[in-house]
Amino acid sequence: MLHKASQHVIMTSEHLRKETGLLETDSLHEPDEETISRIDLSSMISEEEREELKIELVKLEDEITTLRQVLTAKEKHLVEIKQKLGMNLMNELKQNFSKGWHEMQTTTAYKKTHETLSHAGQKATAAFSNVGTAISKKFGDMSYSIRHSISMPAMRRK
């Protein structure tokens, strides 16, 4: 036995097919506004069905309101539990960041990049060390040359 609303939908769809000229095999995806405006669906239901639908509408709206209230209460309870556990937004962000950072560090791409940059860093350090040594040697040579020329006045006159 079909529910009255289901029967109504079937009757309405049959009426739409007749009004719009669609064949039985044609599918009615979304009726356009013109088709809807030509058909007054409310005139197709009886007063008794109209009252039943109004009652059902009120019940659905009440259920939705109740579900929203339950959801709000559960969200408040969730916040209370998190506060008792010492979990606040900042802690959650830190945990999420730490977890994400750890997950990123375990990827193959990160490991290869880290290895390459580490090797490049070692080479750069060695190169800077060599440049530093060369500059120090040059300053040392210059210092020796200046000291030597000061101690030998005859060399200055040349």
Side-chain angles (χ1 to χ4, degrees), residues 100-137:
W101 180 249
H102 175 72
E103 289 173 356
M104 187 196 61
Q105 286 179 317
T106 59
T107 63
T108 304
Y110 176 84
K111 288 178 182 177
K112 285 182 180 180
T113 303
H114 178 70
E115 184 179 304
T116 301
L117 291 177
S118 177
H119 185 68
Q122 289 171 354
K123 285 191 172 200
T125 300
F128 285 130
S129 177
N130 289 341
V131 168
T133 301
I135 290 172
S136 294
K137 186 175 187 281

Side-chain angles (χ1 to χ4, degrees), residues 1-17:
M1 181 174 168
L2 291 174
H3 185 269
K4 286 186 180 185
S6 300
Q7 290 174 342
H8 173 68
V9 169
I10 292 170
M11 289 174 22
T12 303
S13 63
E14 288 174 8
H15 182 71
L16 283 172
R17 277 193 210 103

Side-chain angles (χ1 to χ4, degrees), residues 131-150:
V131 168
T133 301
I135 290 172
S136 294
K137 186 175 187 281
K138 203 59 155 164
F139 280 135
D141 290 347
M142 287 172 41
S143 174
Y144 174 77
S145 177
I146 291 170
R147 273 188 268 129
H148 184 44
S149 66
I150 291 174

